[in-house]
Amino acid sequence: MTKHGAATPRAAIIGYGMAGRSIHARLLREAGWQVTAVLVNNDDRRGDAQSDWPGLTLVRSVQELIAVKEQFDVVVVASPTGLHFEHASELLRAGIATVVDKPLGIDAQQCQELVDLAAELEGHLTVFQNRRWDSEQLTLKQLIADDELGQVHTFERRWERWRPVPLARWKEQDPVAGGLLLDLGAHLVDSAVELFGPVVRVHAQIRNLTTPTPDDVFISLEHGGENRPTVFSRLQAGALVGAPGPRTRVLGNKGSFVVTSYENEASPFSQLDTLIGNGSVDHEGWLSHGAQTTAVAAASGGHADFYRAVASWLTGTGPVPVDPRDCVYTAQILDAAQLSAAEHRVISMP
């Protein structure tokens, strides 16, 4: 039961473009939610929302959405990143539980202010870091827990694509809130920290090759600290990569875990799945020891589990799905990466 007594949890969505419709609305439906309100101004997208969710309420401003807050249990902020701070602040001040698509804000200061506001108002705030529920992330966590890799010393993850002609959308064109550092970097850093803990040093190289926003990003993180073994994370995101590298490679003293390709992004390494696999294993990458390679069974779970966790959180039967303080820390690392690239130096984390 939701806080309003309805058997089906209800959500409102701000924005009904690629993120709002193709990601959030799809996952909400899969997790058993009902979308009862959408804030969208584009007439075509308003038609999409009405078609997808007959009987929903359509509004054109946050204030109009707040006025019908009895119709939903949570608002999903799927607006462009540059509007996250403004929209989340208004919702929290209205006493509305809020899910913000990552990144929470454009920098650590914005993220911290939202976390502080939620704490001050005793409000509900979480962040859609859905990649924590990726099959490859879940599978890798299980391998580490089972000591299949031994002591990990290096973590590599790439989010690369071949897009020589940029798309005409804000993610590629907004020089303040767009770009791969904030978009994909927020996922890459969160994944690394979830796996290997706090970061002591950051080094980054960031370029704009085809857009006014960063579209070529390399971040090196040194995880460690007192009584913690050192792990280096090497994270890459690029839009001008004709031959994307293996999606994930994790190196330990007992073996390595390799994920060849990711979400249908073209990669020459994906041929390894055909060459090595027999087609009968529901695998998520390969456990390798030199020439010896074994398919790894995919861990159960998926992105819709985020919204199942949101439902439990709102009813008080489960924890916050993603602690927003984690997203402040991710933003601090991304801020350090920007400084490192600008000043050509390694940045020590406090």
Side-chain angles (χ1 to χ4, degrees), residues 178-257:
L180 296 187
L181 181 68
L182 285 179
D183 183 18
L184 304 184
H187 282 313
L188 293 169
V189 169
D190 182 76
S191 294
V193 172
E194 184 191 27
L195 291 166
F196 304 111
V199 172
V200 294
R201 275 174 282 276
V202 179
H203 176 247
Q205 296 170 326
I206 301 171
R207 296 186 292 182
N208 304 4
L209 295 177
T210 65
T211 67
T213 67
D215 62 359
D216 185 64
V217 175
F218 171 79
I219 306 173
S220 176
L221 306 179
E222 181 182 338
H223 305 264
E226 186 175 357
N227 299 321
R228 295 182 64 90
T230 298
V231 178
F232 287 110
S233 288
R234 295 163 183 160
L235 313 172
Q236 294 176 249
L240 200 62
V241 184
R247 162 67 177 176
T248 294
R249 189 172 70 148
V250 189
L251 311 179
N253 62 8
K254 288 187 178 180
S256 300
F257 176 62

Side-chain angles (χ1 to χ4, degrees), residues 14-20 45 77-84 101-103 105-106 163 166-180 182-184 211-214:
I14 297 180
Y16 210 66
M18 186 186 73
R45 293 176 180 177
V77 178
S79 51
T81 296
L83 296 173
H84 285 184
D101 200 343
K102 64 79 214 157
I106 63 171
R163 190 175 289 169
L167 301 179
R169 57 177 186 167
W170 68 267
K171 284 189 177 183
E172 277 78 7
Q173 305 303 326
D174 183 345
V176 175
L180 296 187
L182 285 179
D183 183 18
L184 304 184
T211 67
T213 67

Side-chain angles (χ1 to χ4, degrees), residues 251-272:
L251 311 179
N253 62 8
K254 288 187 178 180
S256 300
F257 176 62
V258 180
V259 176
T260 55
S261 58
Y262 182 69
E263 292 189 347
N264 299 316
E265 294 285 359
S267 170
F269 290 92
S270 62
Q271 297 180 34
L272 291 174

Side-chain angles (χ1 to χ4, degrees), residues 303-324:
H303 294 181
D305 289 339
F306 171 83
Y307 279 112
R308 295 185 180 100
V310 170
S312 297
W313 169 57
L314 292 177
T315 58
T317 59
V320 60
V322 176
D323 190 328

